[in-house]
């Protein structure tokens, strides 16, 4: 079975500080995704990756950057966190037929 | 561009009653369609999916959904609700092309299902 871990699971930070969230998969799935979940908006795609060092923007990418130096790790960085980035962040991997398997999420609060 | 509309952000049913959660989509190409469930403080879990073939799809926990191309719908049903079904449900669409577009999913805004005694 596919496995995804996200770290940290909870984080409280202050406006203007940099934050990096990590997603780690235990298999070699090519596609990885970062979403944010907010009430009334469902899940919105931030960035995705289709291979090592291959990434592209999603619909809400402003203020976020990503990196993928290894197949198993996909990092999401908030260069300078803002209160509007308070959210729950989910990582996902593409399994088959575009089905995605989701991690447990990271709850980020920006004060 | 693809989009998903879930009618009703909150649905309440009695235990033992029929569950019907509505999903309509728009897509210019043949779609893959998904229903995910999210229990409190957890990630999303796949309930069922439609790719090709039979339009009535059965999933976990007694849920099923029917792909109706003429109505661009993929409504989720369960004959008899259980208290454990209380959760948030998300419909999602993706196109069937194997390449391009990042194989992305577009999600609806979710429906919170409440099950009452």
């Amino acid at each position: 079975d596919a496995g995804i871990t996200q770290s940290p699971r909870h984080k409280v930070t202050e406006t203007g500080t940099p934050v990096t969230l990590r997603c780690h998969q235990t298999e070699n799935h090519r596609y990885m995704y970062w979403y944010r979940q907010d009430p009334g908006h469902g899940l919105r795609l931030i960035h995705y990756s289709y291979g090592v060092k291959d990434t592209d923007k999603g619909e809400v990418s402003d203020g976020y950057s990503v990196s993928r130096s290894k197949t198993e790790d996909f990092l999401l960085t908030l260069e300078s966190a803002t209160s509007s980035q308070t959210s729950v962040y989910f990582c996902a991997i593409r399994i088959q037929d575009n089905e995605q398997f989701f991690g447990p999420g990271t709850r980020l609060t920006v004060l | 561009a693809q989009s998903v509309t879930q009618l009703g952000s909150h649905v309440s049913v009695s235990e033992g009653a029929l569950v019907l959660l509505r999903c309509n989509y728009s897509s210019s190409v043949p779609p893959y369609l998904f229903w995910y469930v999210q229990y409190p403080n957890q990630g999303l879990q796949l309930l069922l999916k439609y790719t090709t073939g039979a339009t009535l799809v059965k999933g976990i926990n007694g849920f099923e959904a029917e792909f109706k191309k003429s109505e661009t719908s993929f409504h989720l049903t369960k004959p008899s609700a259980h208290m454990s079904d209380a959760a948030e449900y998300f419909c999602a669409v993706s196109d069937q092309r194997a390449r391009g577009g990042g194989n992305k999913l577009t999600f609806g805004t979710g429906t919170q299902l409440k099950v009452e005694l």
Side-chain angles (χ1 to χ4, degrees), chain A residues 11-98:
Chain A
K11 186 172 183 65
V12 180
T13 190
E14 294 187 350
T15 297
T17 60
V19 176
T20 295
L21 308 183
R22 179 177 182 250
C23 176
H24 177 81
Q25 62 162 318
T26 57
E27 299 184 356
N28 293 318
H29 293 283
R30 181 181 173 194
Y31 285 86
M32 298 184 74
Y33 306 82
W34 276 107
Y35 294 89
R36 61 178 288 172
Q37 183 179 22
D38 304 289
H41 292 276
L43 275 79
R44 292 180 292 175
L45 183 65
I46 304 172
H47 282 279
Y48 66 98
S49 170
Y50 47 96
V52 173
K53 297 185 180 180
D54 291 324
T55 64
D56 205 349
K57 297 179 179 180
E59 64 176 299
V60 290
S61 59
D62 287 348
Y64 302 95
S65 62
V66 291
S67 65
R68 193 168 178 199
S69 59
K70 298 185 293 185
T71 299
E72 60 266 34
D73 290 327
F74 192 30
L75 304 181
L76 176 71
T77 298
L78 291 65
E79 300 290 348
S80 178
T82 67
S83 59
S84 64
Q85 294 175 312
T86 292
S87 186
V88 181
Y89 292 86
F90 288 100
C91 175
I93 56 176
R94 176 181 176 264
I95 299 176
Q96 59 182 1
D97 295 332
N98 291 357

